[in-house]
Amino acid sequence: GRSGVAITIVTQYDVELYQRIEHLINKKLKEYPTDKEAVMILLERVTEAQRIAAMEMRDAMQFKKQRGHRHERDKGRKRR
């Protein structure tokens, strides 16, 4: 497979979980030096993308439910 880099943003609330992961994989993951301002900009973009994705998923589920109700309602009707 291809190689790449995965970045995990860790807050003070995540440190214990992050350390557990390091322990489980028996590897100390290196810290990626960052500029706090650049990270905050990326965080804003990711948060907005998550918000939009959640709205789209809710809309899709609502559409699916409406379509399912219509299908159930139409099941008993005779076709001409």
Side-chain angles (χ1 to χ4, degrees), residues 3 10 41 64 78:
S3 64
V10 180
I41 290 170
K64 187 176 180 180
K78 292 183 180 178

Side-chain angles (χ1 to χ4, degrees), residues 12 14 18 24-25 29 32-33 36-37 39 43 49 52-53 55-56 60 63-64 71 74-75:
Q12 72 248 24
D14 305 315
Y18 195 78
L24 286 171
I25 64 173
L29 300 172
Y32 186 80
K36 184 177 180 178
E37 191 173 316
V39 170
L43 180 60
I52 291 169
M55 286 187 335
E56 289 176 356
F63 178 75
K64 187 176 180 180
H71 178 70
D74 293 343
K75 249 186 186 176

Side-chain angles (χ1 to χ4, degrees), residues 48-60:
E48 178 67 8
Q50 287 176 323
R51 186 183 68 77
I52 291 169
M55 286 187 335
E56 289 176 356
M57 287 173 51
R58 277 192 300 269
D59 290 347

Side-chain angles (χ1 to χ4, degrees), residues 59-76:
D59 290 347
M61 291 301 292
Q62 187 64 31
F63 178 75
K64 187 176 180 180
K65 284 181 185 177
Q66 288 172 350
R67 202 175 71 200
H69 290 301
R70 189 175 336 122
H71 178 70
E72 289 297 319
R73 185 183 65 222
D74 293 343
K75 249 186 186 176

Side-chain angles (χ1 to χ4, degrees), residues 27-54:
K27 184 177 182 180
K28 177 79 174 158
L29 300 172
K30 62 182 174 182
E31 185 176 340
Y32 186 80
T34 60
D35 172 32
K36 184 177 180 178
E37 191 173 316
V39 170
M40 294 310 290
I41 290 170
L42 288 174
L43 180 60
E44 287 177 23
R45 290 177 56 196
V46 168
T47 302
E48 178 67 8
Q50 287 176 323
R51 186 183 68 77
I52 291 169

